[in-house]
Amino acid sequence: MAPHCRSRRAVAAIVLLAAARAFRSSPPRRAAALRHSRADPPRDLLRRCGADVDTVDAVDAADEAAYRQEHERKVAAAQTATPWATLPATVIDGLAARNRTAPFAVQRAAWGPVVEGLDAVVQSPTASGKTLAYLAPVAARLLTTAQPTREGRGPAAPRCVVLAPSRELAAQICKEWDALVRPANATRAALAVGGAPLHRCVSSLR
């Protein structure tokens, strides 16, 4: 048997063993352990381990129905969402001061899905407003939601992460974000790039 095959079987055995131990505990914990396990053990094995499979199936069905209902609500809301409608007035005024009085086509198209938290793939020519197309709805979400507080200088907790393929583009995105939310006195972006001292990146995130 190839080494990687033995390794996969060993990992599967460990996952099954961990799941079996969880299934011997209280029913809610057994259900949660099954729902979140990456393994998919045979149903007869789950029953031998004491899992209430019928209860788990019912919980899964209810979770799926709730997810579908919420997803359909978001899709419907995204289709009728008005671009920039939920941005604070100070941000709108800041955009107008930079001669941006109305959203471009790509910004109108991206607003609904992004502001509702849906997956979106946006493609548009250079200099057509793609950066603001996703930063504006992200700003609308973050500026209307209270920022979680943390005590002391604990681990950083970014509310949004934007990945860019180059340092130049990453710096440009940070600059655009800062200009967008400056009128609202919101948190500035932290730039973390390769080639920079690690302690500076960590300090900026904090």
Side-chain angles (χ1 to χ4, degrees), residues 60-200:
D60 282 347
D63 286 349
E64 182 179 353
Y67 170 81
R68 289 182 179 276
Q69 182 178 5
E70 177 64 11
H71 181 74
E72 291 172 359
R73 183 200 67 79
K74 289 182 177 181
V75 170
Q79 293 173 346
T80 58
T82 302
W84 296 7
T86 53
L87 282 174
T90 53
V91 174
I92 295 293
D93 293 341
L95 288 169
R98 293 190 288 155
N99 296 321
R100 301 182 183 184
T101 56
F104 295 155
V106 64
Q107 296 163 0
R108 292 194 298 270
W111 175 267
V114 178
V115 83
E116 288 297 330
L118 297 170
D119 294 337
V121 178
V122 181
Q123 183 177 1
S124 187
T126 301
S128 60
K130 290 190 298 297
T131 302
L132 192 60
Y134 61 84
L135 289 186
V138 167
R141 288 173 62 91
L142 298 188
L143 295 178
T144 56
T145 305
Q147 182 173 0
T149 58
R150 57 190 179 93
E151 299 179 359
R153 293 179 60 81
R159 302 184 68 195
C160 177
V161 177
V162 179
L163 302 179
S166 68
R167 283 206 244 172
E168 293 75 13
L169 181 56
Q172 175 187 335
I173 294 170
C174 285
K175 183 178 179 180
E176 181 66 28
W177 171 262
D178 292 342
L180 175 65
V181 301
R182 186 180 296 114
N185 295 320
T187 303
R188 299 182 61 184
L191 179 62
V193 296
L198 182 59
H199 70 276
R200 289 187 184 177

